[in-house]
Amino acid sequence: MVSTEHRRRTLAVISIFAGGLVVVAFLVLVIFSYGPLNSARDDLNQARTIISNDLANRSLFTSADGRARLANDIGSVAKEAAEANTTLSNSESISLLGHLPVLGAQRDGVLQLAMDVEKATTTGQSILGALNKLAESSHGTTVGLPALASLEFSVVADRKGMAALDRPTSGLIGPIASARRDFDREDAKLVRLLSLTAKTIDFARPFLGANGPQTYLIAGQNNAEMRDSGAVLSLDLLTAQDGTFSLDHATTYGNYILSSPANFTLPPGTQQIFGAYKSTEEWPEVDATADFATTGQDMQAMWAQATGQTVNGVIGIDVPGVASILRLTGPVMVPGIDQPVSATNVADVLLNEEYAGDTVNNPQNTRRDKISAVVKAAIDEMKKERIDLGSFANALANDVQGRHLMVWSAAPADEAGLRTLDAAGTLTTSEPDRTIHLAVENNTADKLDYFLRVGVAMKVTVDNTGNAIINTTIRVANGALPNQPPSYQYGPDGVNAFTPGQYVARVFYWGPVGAQVPGSVNESGLQVVENHFSLMPTQHGQVTFTTIIPHAVRHGRLQLRLIPQARLVPDKFSLSLEAPSWKVSGRTHISTRWGKTLTLSWGLSH
């Protein structure tokens, strides 16, 4: 008779053996599943890499060749996703994993990711098709409004679909969780891009006259005589109706001299700082303020007083902005200029050659500012050629980033859209308590900014309580030639300058809202303080401004938003960050050309 103890031992051995068989079967299942899972993951990673590279290369959207490559890339992504789906669907071992805890979640996560990548490719193909139809229906200076509306419908719908693909990683582990996070990151980028595209189209349709004729004043901003932007010395009118736009009134501001101030009241801070400029009466002075919304309203009122005509908005464009258009059209001929004007020589022609040799009192001087005339010639050239609409839009978008192109609309909804797109030329679109802007403005009646070079050195120190002390040094070098005779270009004006080539600089620094900026005045939505100095040819001068941002470190991060002045040659910019009591994540030394808004962020922890 078998004892109870013997039976117990026998059952234990059987149990251990059975458990061992389960473990072995489990391991075999995992081993056989690893190959298909790894293969599918590799396919999806390749697809993600293609998506990431294309989203980083916006130029693919701006030409027929680029969109053809994009279509090919989308096809490759679709192929990778399909192969991943096939691998996963045909694997029996992966199918069995679905019945196991933890591993079942990994299987489901990979399957979901493969389906989401396929959905993304469908979205990409939809948008690309609508974009190509828009490009095909647009030519010269006419945009196909029905195709634009169709693109907007596609973008809005696809944005919602892509937003739904951002899924949590809960339950996923290892490389599968990492792949999911990578996809979600690219998905978020695409959602933001689609959102921005929808807002752009929402503004573009009424701007192009979809709801009726529109008229905009084009203000040619001269970078050889800087205010916050270039001085407004030439004017034109842009008209738009049913998707077609044209320029037809290029002229000098000298033909629209006002005998009294326009019916526009400057904001109190602007009046206090810039009131002496007579910027509601003198066209070259309207750009002294950094807020283009104020400038636009001012110019609308001035144009109405000069002509009796009320425009729907104002567009400011400077010489670098004109160069962007000329890169698309090629050289143009302009009445009064004896050589073709191209992207390569436009700055030298308009800001140097047109003034060189002119005497101070030459009565023709006001007729020699031809920025708007060059813009008109370029737009006229677009009528003759098939300029890709995407390339044109991309050029304008790049100019917006450097404040070389700014737009104000009298329609509140359109103005709100412009602010969202950061195209309104305002300083307070986002994070006004972290925003800094500065400008070197010419305080003489000459064209010496063509020779000027500006450098900005910013030292940021974070104390142990999280306050940021910012010392900003602006260095200005006058590269004008010495010993020149008096001229329209070199001066002197006999008011602020008394020697040819003498540059009198008013340096303005706008500090963040809520910061401590000694002696500052609320202006353009921020806090402005100024200093000034005079420079003879070959001399340089500098001034330093100090700002304290209290409690600048928030939730473990320090952020700054730095908006540049739209100079012909972007300022040299350097920044050093010191935080002795903190561990800093991010670059503590930065050196670059300040040609567009810089958004800087560091992680700080004790």
PDB file of all heavy atoms in Angstrom, residues 9-36:
ATOM      1  N   ARG A   9       4.785  13.066  -2.564  1.00  0.00           N
ATOM      2  CA  ARG A   9       6.012  13.301  -3.313  1.00  0.00           C
ATOM      3  C   ARG A   9       5.808  13.122  -4.815  1.00  0.00           C
ATOM      4  O   ARG A   9       6.320  13.891  -5.626  1.00  0.00           O
ATOM      5  CB  ARG A   9       7.108  12.351  -2.819  1.00  0.00           C
ATOM      6  CG  ARG A   9       7.614  12.651  -1.416  1.00  0.00           C
ATOM      7  CD  ARG A   9       8.614  11.608  -0.983  1.00  0.00           C
ATOM      8  NE  ARG A   9       9.092  11.887   0.381  1.00  0.00           N
ATOM      9  CZ  ARG A   9       9.899  11.073   1.039  1.00  0.00           C
ATOM     10  NH1 ARG A   9      10.312   9.922   0.494  1.00  0.00           N
ATOM     11  NH2 ARG A   9      10.292  11.384   2.262  1.00  0.00           N
ATOM     12  N   THR A  10       5.038  12.083  -5.139  1.00  0.00           N
ATOM     13  CA  THR A  10       4.772  11.818  -6.565  1.00  0.00           C
ATOM     14  C   THR A  10       4.018  12.978  -7.205  1.00  0.00           C
ATOM     15  O   THR A  10       4.339  13.444  -8.313  1.00  0.00           O
ATOM     16  CB  THR A  10       3.954  10.530  -6.733  1.00  0.00           C
ATOM     17  OG1 THR A  10       4.679   9.448  -6.153  1.00  0.00           O
ATOM     18  CG2 THR A  10       3.682  10.234  -8.204  1.00  0.00           C
ATOM     19  N   LEU A  11       2.999  13.463  -6.504  1.00  0.00           N
ATOM     20  CA  LEU A  11       2.227  14.605  -7.018  1.00  0.00           C
ATOM     21  C   LEU A  11       3.100  15.849  -7.163  1.00  0.00           C
ATOM     22  O   LEU A  11       2.968  16.638  -8.102  1.00  0.00           O
ATOM     23  CB  LEU A  11       1.046  14.893  -6.085  1.00  0.00           C
ATOM     24  CG  LEU A  11      -0.097  13.862  -6.115  1.00  0.00           C
ATOM     25  CD1 LEU A  11      -1.113  14.178  -5.018  1.00  0.00           C
ATOM     26  CD2 LEU A  11      -0.780  13.859  -7.485  1.00  0.00           C
ATOM     27  N   ALA A  12       4.024  16.007  -6.230  1.00  0.00           N
ATOM     28  CA  ALA A  12       4.915  17.187  -6.291  1.00  0.00           C
ATOM     29  C   ALA A  12       5.804  17.116  -7.518  1.00  0.00           C
ATOM     30  O   ALA A  12       6.021  18.109  -8.222  1.00  0.00           O
ATOM     31  CB  ALA A  12       5.763  17.263  -5.016  1.00  0.00           C
ATOM     32  N   VAL A  13       6.333  15.885  -7.793  1.00  0.00           N
ATOM     33  CA  VAL A  13       7.193  15.717  -8.965  1.00  0.00           C
ATOM     34  C   VAL A  13       6.414  15.971 -10.245  1.00  0.00           C
ATOM     35  O   VAL A  13       6.875  16.658 -11.164  1.00  0.00           O
ATOM     36  CB  VAL A  13       7.809  14.296  -8.984  1.00  0.00           C
ATOM     37  CG1 VAL A  13       8.509  14.037 -10.316  1.00  0.00           C
ATOM     38  CG2 VAL A  13       8.772  14.129  -7.829  1.00  0.00           C
ATOM     39  N   ILE A  14       5.197  15.421 -10.300  1.00  0.00           N
ATOM     40  CA  ILE A  14       4.353  15.631 -11.492  1.00  0.00           C
ATOM     41  C   ILE A  14       4.048  17.116 -11.675  1.00  0.00           C
ATOM     42  O   ILE A  14       4.089  17.660 -12.776  1.00  0.00           O
ATOM     43  CB  ILE A  14       3.051  14.812 -11.372  1.00  0.00           C
ATOM     44  CG1 ILE A  14       3.365  13.314 -11.426  1.00  0.00           C
ATOM     45  CG2 ILE A  14       2.076  15.196 -12.480  1.00  0.00           C
ATOM     46  CD1 ILE A  14       2.163  12.436 -11.133  1.00  0.00           C
ATOM     47  N   SER A  15       3.760  17.776 -10.555  1.00  0.00           N
ATOM     48  CA  SER A  15       3.447  19.212 -10.614  1.00  0.00           C
ATOM     49  C   SER A  15       4.629  20.021 -11.121  1.00  0.00           C
ATOM     50  O   SER A  15       4.483  20.904 -11.972  1.00  0.00           O
ATOM     51  CB  SER A  15       3.027  19.699  -9.222  1.00  0.00           C
ATOM     52  OG  SER A  15       2.796  21.094  -9.237  1.00  0.00           O
ATOM     53  N   ILE A  16       5.828  19.665 -10.589  1.00  0.00           N
ATOM     54  CA  ILE A  16       7.029  20.378 -11.028  1.00  0.00           C
ATOM     55  C   ILE A  16       7.285  20.123 -12.503  1.00  0.00           C
ATOM     56  O   ILE A  16       7.598  21.038 -13.273  1.00  0.00           O
ATOM     57  CB  ILE A  16       8.241  19.928 -10.181  1.00  0.00           C
ATOM     58  CG1 ILE A  16       8.085  20.430  -8.740  1.00  0.00           C
ATOM     59  CG2 ILE A  16       9.545  20.456 -10.780  1.00  0.00           C
ATOM     60  CD1 ILE A  16       9.120  19.846  -7.783  1.00  0.00           C
ATOM     61  N   PHE A  17       7.098  18.841 -12.918  1.00  0.00           N
ATOM     62  CA  PHE A  17       7.327  18.503 -14.325  1.00  0.00           C
ATOM     63  C   PHE A  17       6.346  19.244 -15.233  1.00  0.00           C
ATOM     64  O   PHE A  17       6.705  19.796 -16.271  1.00  0.00           O
ATOM     65  CB  PHE A  17       7.195  16.980 -14.490  1.00  0.00           C
ATOM     66  CG  PHE A  17       7.428  16.520 -15.902  1.00  0.00           C
ATOM     67  CD1 PHE A  17       8.712  16.529 -16.461  1.00  0.00           C
ATOM     68  CD2 PHE A  17       6.362  16.082 -16.693  1.00  0.00           C
ATOM     69  CE1 PHE A  17       8.927  16.120 -17.760  1.00  0.00           C
ATOM     70  CE2 PHE A  17       6.584  15.679 -17.992  1.00  0.00           C
ATOM     71  CZ  PHE A  17       7.858  15.688 -18.540  1.00  0.00           C
ATOM     72  N   ALA A  18       5.072  19.238 -14.791  1.00  0.00           N
ATOM     73  CA  ALA A  18       4.052  19.937 -15.590  1.00  0.00           C
ATOM     74  C   ALA A  18       4.345  21.429 -15.655  1.00  0.00           C
ATOM     75  O   ALA A  18       4.246  22.064 -16.711  1.00  0.00           O
ATOM     76  CB  ALA A  18       2.666  19.697 -14.985  1.00  0.00           C
ATOM     77  N   GLY A  19       4.744  21.973 -14.507  1.00  0.00           N
ATOM     78  CA  GLY A  19       5.104  23.400 -14.502  1.00  0.00           C
ATOM     79  C   GLY A  19       6.270  23.680 -15.407  1.00  0.00           C
ATOM     80  O   GLY A  19       6.316  24.689 -16.114  1.00  0.00           O
ATOM     81  N   GLY A  20       7.242  22.750 -15.378  1.00  0.00           N
ATOM     82  CA  GLY A  20       8.383  22.915 -16.260  1.00  0.00           C
ATOM     83  C   GLY A  20       7.987  22.892 -17.716  1.00  0.00           C
ATOM     84  O   GLY A  20       8.500  23.667 -18.532  1.00  0.00           O
ATOM     85  N   LEU A  21       7.054  21.974 -18.056  1.00  0.00           N
ATOM     86  CA  LEU A  21       6.583  21.926 -19.436  1.00  0.00           C
ATOM     87  C   LEU A  21       5.899  23.238 -19.841  1.00  0.00           C
ATOM     88  O   LEU A  21       6.064  23.732 -20.957  1.00  0.00           O
ATOM     89  CB  LEU A  21       5.603  20.751 -19.607  1.00  0.00           C
ATOM     90  CG  LEU A  21       6.204  19.342 -19.606  1.00  0.00           C
ATOM     91  CD1 LEU A  21       5.107  18.292 -19.707  1.00  0.00           C
ATOM     92  CD2 LEU A  21       7.191  19.208 -20.783  1.00  0.00           C
ATOM     93  N   VAL A  22       5.127  23.815 -18.905  1.00  0.00           N
ATOM     94  CA  VAL A  22       4.452  25.099 -19.189  1.00  0.00           C
ATOM     95  C   VAL A  22       5.481  26.196 -19.423  1.00  0.00           C
ATOM     96  O   VAL A  22       5.371  26.998 -20.364  1.00  0.00           O
ATOM     97  CB  VAL A  22       3.512  25.472 -18.032  1.00  0.00           C
ATOM     98  CG1 VAL A  22       2.998  26.898 -18.203  1.00  0.00           C
ATOM     99  CG2 VAL A  22       2.353  24.499 -17.952  1.00  0.00           C
ATOM    100  N   VAL A  23       6.511  26.235 -18.550  1.00  0.00           N
ATOM    101  CA  VAL A  23       7.556  27.252 -18.696  1.00  0.00           C
ATOM    102  C   VAL A  23       8.278  27.082 -20.022  1.00  0.00           C
ATOM    103  O   VAL A  23       8.533  28.049 -20.745  1.00  0.00           O
ATOM    104  CB  VAL A  23       8.558  27.169 -17.524  1.00  0.00           C
ATOM    105  CG1 VAL A  23       9.762  28.063 -17.791  1.00  0.00           C
ATOM    106  CG2 VAL A  23       7.872  27.567 -16.229  1.00  0.00           C
ATOM    107  N   VAL A  24       8.614  25.805 -20.353  1.00  0.00           N
ATOM    108  CA  VAL A  24       9.294  25.538 -21.624  1.00  0.00           C
ATOM    109  C   VAL A  24       8.411  25.964 -22.792  1.00  0.00           C
ATOM    110  O   VAL A  24       8.863  26.618 -23.753  1.00  0.00           O
ATOM    111  CB  VAL A  24       9.679  24.045 -21.736  1.00  0.00           C
ATOM    112  CG1 VAL A  24      10.172  23.737 -23.152  1.00  0.00           C
ATOM    113  CG2 VAL A  24      10.750  23.700 -20.720  1.00  0.00           C
ATOM    114  N   ALA A  25       7.116  25.591 -22.723  1.00  0.00           N
ATOM    115  CA  ALA A  25       6.195  25.957 -23.807  1.00  0.00           C
ATOM    116  C   ALA A  25       6.092  27.481 -23.930  1.00  0.00           C
ATOM    117  O   ALA A  25       6.058  28.039 -25.033  1.00  0.00           O
ATOM    118  CB  ALA A  25       4.820  25.346 -23.543  1.00  0.00           C
ATOM    119  N   PHE A  26       6.047  28.127 -22.753  1.00  0.00           N
ATOM    120  CA  PHE A  26       5.979  29.598 -22.735  1.00  0.00           C
ATOM    121  C   PHE A  26       7.220  30.217 -23.385  1.00  0.00           C
ATOM    122  O   PHE A  26       7.129  31.114 -24.207  1.00  0.00           O
ATOM    123  CB  PHE A  26       5.825  30.064 -21.290  1.00  0.00           C
ATOM    124  CG  PHE A  26       5.814  31.555 -21.131  1.00  0.00           C
ATOM    125  CD1 PHE A  26       4.672  32.295 -21.411  1.00  0.00           C
ATOM    126  CD2 PHE A  26       6.944  32.236 -20.692  1.00  0.00           C
ATOM    127  CE1 PHE A  26       4.665  33.666 -21.252  1.00  0.00           C
ATOM    128  CE2 PHE A  26       6.942  33.596 -20.542  1.00  0.00           C
ATOM    129  CZ  PHE A  26       5.791  34.320 -20.829  1.00  0.00           C
ATOM    130  N   LEU A  27       8.381  29.687 -23.008  1.00  0.00           N
ATOM    131  CA  LEU A  27       9.630  30.211 -23.564  1.00  0.00           C
ATOM    132  C   LEU A  27       9.705  29.967 -25.062  1.00  0.00           C
ATOM    133  O   LEU A  27      10.145  30.827 -25.818  1.00  0.00           O
ATOM    134  CB  LEU A  27      10.826  29.564 -22.857  1.00  0.00           C
ATOM    135  CG  LEU A  27      11.035  29.975 -21.387  1.00  0.00           C
ATOM    136  CD1 LEU A  27      12.161  29.161 -20.761  1.00  0.00           C
ATOM    137  CD2 LEU A  27      11.361  31.463 -21.299  1.00  0.00           C
ATOM    138  N   VAL A  28       9.284  28.764 -25.474  1.00  0.00           N
ATOM    139  CA  VAL A  28       9.279  28.457 -26.917  1.00  0.00           C
ATOM    140  C   VAL A  28       8.361  29.428 -27.654  1.00  0.00           C
ATOM    141  O   VAL A  28       8.691  29.960 -28.724  1.00  0.00           O
ATOM    142  CB  VAL A  28       8.852  27.000 -27.152  1.00  0.00           C
ATOM    143  CG1 VAL A  28       8.599  26.756 -28.643  1.00  0.00           C
ATOM    144  CG2 VAL A  28       9.915  26.046 -26.642  1.00  0.00           C
ATOM    145  N   LEU A  29       7.192  29.679 -27.062  1.00  0.00           N
ATOM    146  CA  LEU A  29       6.240  30.601 -27.682  1.00  0.00           C
ATOM    147  C   LEU A  29       6.833  32.003 -27.799  1.00  0.00           C
ATOM    148  O   LEU A  29       6.724  32.668 -28.835  1.00  0.00           O
ATOM    149  CB  LEU A  29       4.951  30.632 -26.853  1.00  0.00           C
ATOM    150  CG  LEU A  29       3.817  31.535 -27.374  1.00  0.00           C
ATOM    151  CD1 LEU A  29       3.372  31.088 -28.759  1.00  0.00           C
ATOM    152  CD2 LEU A  29       2.633  31.496 -26.409  1.00  0.00           C
ATOM    153  N   VAL A  30       7.478  32.437 -26.720  1.00  0.00           N
ATOM    154  CA  VAL A  30       8.104  33.762 -26.738  1.00  0.00           C
ATOM    155  C   VAL A  30       9.203  33.828 -27.777  1.00  0.00           C
ATOM    156  O   VAL A  30       9.322  34.799 -28.547  1.00  0.00           O
ATOM    157  CB  VAL A  30       8.650  34.114 -25.342  1.00  0.00           C
ATOM    158  CG1 VAL A  30       9.512  35.369 -25.405  1.00  0.00           C
ATOM    159  CG2 VAL A  30       7.504  34.302 -24.365  1.00  0.00           C
ATOM    160  N   ILE A  31      10.035  32.733 -27.828  1.00  0.00           N
ATOM    161  CA  ILE A  31      11.141  32.715 -28.786  1.00  0.00           C
ATOM    162  C   ILE A  31      10.616  32.787 -30.217  1.00  0.00           C
ATOM    163  O   ILE A  31      11.123  33.545 -31.049  1.00  0.00           O
ATOM    164  CB  ILE A  31      12.006  31.451 -28.578  1.00  0.00           C
ATOM    165  CG1 ILE A  31      12.779  31.567 -27.255  1.00  0.00           C
ATOM    166  CG2 ILE A  31      12.984  31.255 -29.733  1.00  0.00           C
ATOM    167  CD1 ILE A  31      13.462  30.285 -26.828  1.00  0.00           C
ATOM    168  N   PHE A  32       9.588  31.985 -30.496  1.00  0.00           N
ATOM    169  CA  PHE A  32       9.050  31.984 -31.854  1.00  0.00           C
ATOM    170  C   PHE A  32       8.312  33.284 -32.169  1.00  0.00           C
ATOM    171  O   PHE A  32       8.200  33.678 -33.321  1.00  0.00           O
ATOM    172  CB  PHE A  32       8.120  30.781 -32.057  1.00  0.00           C
ATOM    173  CG  PHE A  32       8.847  29.523 -32.417  1.00  0.00           C
ATOM    174  CD1 PHE A  32       9.220  28.619 -31.423  1.00  0.00           C
ATOM    175  CD2 PHE A  32       9.182  29.233 -33.727  1.00  0.00           C
ATOM    176  CE1 PHE A  32       9.915  27.464 -31.744  1.00  0.00           C
ATOM    177  CE2 PHE A  32       9.878  28.075 -34.059  1.00  0.00           C
ATOM    178  CZ  PHE A  32      10.248  27.186 -33.067  1.00  0.00           C
ATOM    179  N   SER A  33       7.823  33.957 -31.135  1.00  0.00           N
ATOM    180  CA  SER A  33       7.113  35.227 -31.361  1.00  0.00           C
ATOM    181  C   SER A  33       8.083  36.386 -31.528  1.00  0.00           C
ATOM    182  O   SER A  33       7.754  37.390 -32.159  1.00  0.00           O
ATOM    183  CB  SER A  33       6.176  35.527 -30.173  1.00  0.00           C
ATOM    184  OG  SER A  33       5.212  34.516 -30.029  1.00  0.00           O
ATOM    185  N   TYR A  34       9.287  36.237 -30.961  1.00  0.00           N
ATOM    186  CA  TYR A  34      10.233  37.352 -30.985  1.00  0.00           C
ATOM    187  C   TYR A  34      10.595  37.762 -32.406  1.00  0.00           C
ATOM    188  O   TYR A  34      10.645  38.948 -32.729  1.00  0.00           O
ATOM    189  CB  TYR A  34      11.516  36.984 -30.218  1.00  0.00           C
ATOM    190  CG  TYR A  34      12.550  38.088 -30.248  1.00  0.00           C
ATOM    191  CD1 TYR A  34      12.417  39.202 -29.419  1.00  0.00           C
ATOM    192  CD2 TYR A  34      13.626  38.031 -31.129  1.00  0.00           C
ATOM    193  CE1 TYR A  34      13.345  40.217 -29.452  1.00  0.00           C
ATOM    194  CE2 TYR A  34      14.554  39.053 -31.176  1.00  0.00           C
ATOM    195  CZ  TYR A  34      14.420  40.149 -30.332  1.00  0.00           C
ATOM    196  OH  TYR A  34      15.330  41.163 -30.387  1.00  0.00           O
ATOM    197  N   GLY A  35      10.827  36.766 -33.253  1.00  0.00           N
ATOM    198  CA  GLY A  35      11.210  37.076 -34.636  1.00  0.00           C
ATOM    199  C   GLY A  35      10.170  37.923 -35.344  1.00  0.00           C
ATOM    200  O   GLY A  35      10.481  39.007 -35.859  1.00  0.00           O
ATOM    201  N   PRO A  36       8.901  37.477 -35.400  1.00  0.00           N
ATOM    202  CA  PRO A  36       7.873  38.301 -36.059  1.00  0.00           C
ATOM    203  C   PRO A  36       7.686  39.673 -35.401  1.00  0.00           C
ATOM    204  O   PRO A  36       7.518  40.680 -36.097  1.00  0.00           O
ATOM    205  CB  PRO A  36       6.606  37.437 -35.923  1.00  0.00           C
ATOM    206  CG  PRO A  36       7.099  36.046 -35.754  1.00  0.00           C
ATOM    207  CD  PRO A  36       8.391  36.162 -34.998  1.00  0.00           C
TER     208      PRO A  36
END
